Amino acid sequence: MGEFRGKKRYFHNIWRKVNSFHLELDNESWFNFYHIHLDWDGLGNGSVKIRREHIKAYFAIYKRVLNELKMFEKSYQSWILLSDEDAGRDAVYIHTPNPNKDNFPLKVEKLDWSCNIPSTFSDLINLNEFNVAHFNSEAEGWYIIQSKCQDIKL
């Protein structure tokens, strides 16, 4: 991957998205694995610094989501998902009962809640506030970060 030009403008735009993010919630709202990607192109794959900046933005947007969901009258699950392999797959998720499929609450099998958190981003996670788990899917490994205040855990 070549030199990443325009980093300052790029991250200014990312943080503008984060700071203006708002869920349109009403009594009819529902989410079927709704998710927000910030690094579609996987720029974080080429640089730990760039990946860390995206992860900081994911935490900021996740906190905004949790704050807005406090007023939501339905049950929900929300989490940050970080890929072991591809930063372009990282996202913040929201999931509720929904009319598409009877798939709520999500239960992920074989979550390792006592996993070692990679040193590349362990200092970004306040373990008093968040739980961290790791699991392996068929294709790759994933970290799930979920608020300790969440009623329905994965």
Side-chain angles (χ1 to χ4, degrees):
M1 188 169 179
E3 173 76 20
F4 178 20
R5 298 176 53 95
K7 277 186 267 194
K8 186 174 181 179
R9 182 180 59 231
Y10 172 82
F11 281 110
H12 174 77
N13 289 336
I14 290 285
W15 282 100
R16 192 172 65 213
K17 282 182 196 175
V18 168
N19 292 325
S20 65
F21 183 81
H22 175 69
L23 293 172
E24 298 292 330
L25 297 173
D26 61 34
N27 292 335
E28 303 300 316
S29 296
W30 53 269
F31 301 94
N32 187 14
F33 297 109
Y34 173 81
H35 55 283
I36 304 118
H37 291 281
L38 297 173
D39 186 9
W40 279 104
D41 296 327
L43 296 172
N45 294 332
S47 164
V48 171
K49 284 177 70 173
I50 292 171
R51 179 89 188 262
R52 285 175 55 85
E53 194 63 27
H54 281 100
I55 291 171
K56 289 177 195 175
Y58 283 118
F59 271 100
I61 207 162
Y62 181 54
K63 288 178 181 180
R64 288 182 70 92
V65 163
L66 291 175
N67 191 46
E68 289 191 34
L69 287 172
K70 284 180 188 176
M71 308 302 173
F72 196 49
E73 295 179 6
K74 296 179 183 174
S75 296
Y76 67 88
Q77 293 173 298
S78 187
W79 63 93
I80 299 171
L81 188 71
L82 301 177
S83 168
D84 283 349
E85 303 295 324
D86 184 2
R89 295 183 184 167
D90 297 349
V92 172
Y93 279 80
I94 307 168
H95 188 54
T96 66
N98 64 82
N100 290 347
K101 194 171 183 181
D102 183 17
N103 59 3
F104 183 85
L106 173 66
K107 293 290 183 195
V108 180
E109 299 295 322
K110 300 180 184 173
L111 283 175
D112 178 6
W113 290 102
S114 61
C115 65
N116 291 322
I117 303 167
S119 60
T120 54
F121 60 85
S122 62
D123 63 315
L124 302 178
I125 303 170
N126 179 348
L127 294 176
N128 294 321
E129 209 176 333
F130 301 102
N131 290 316
V132 180
H134 188 268
F135 76 98
N136 289 306
S137 70
E138 296 169 10
E140 67 183 284
W142 301 89
Y143 286 91
I144 289 179
I145 303 163
Q146 193 172 34
S147 170
K148 287 186 175 188
C149 296
Q150 184 103 181
D151 286 339
I152 304 173
K153 302 220 182 314
L154 295 173

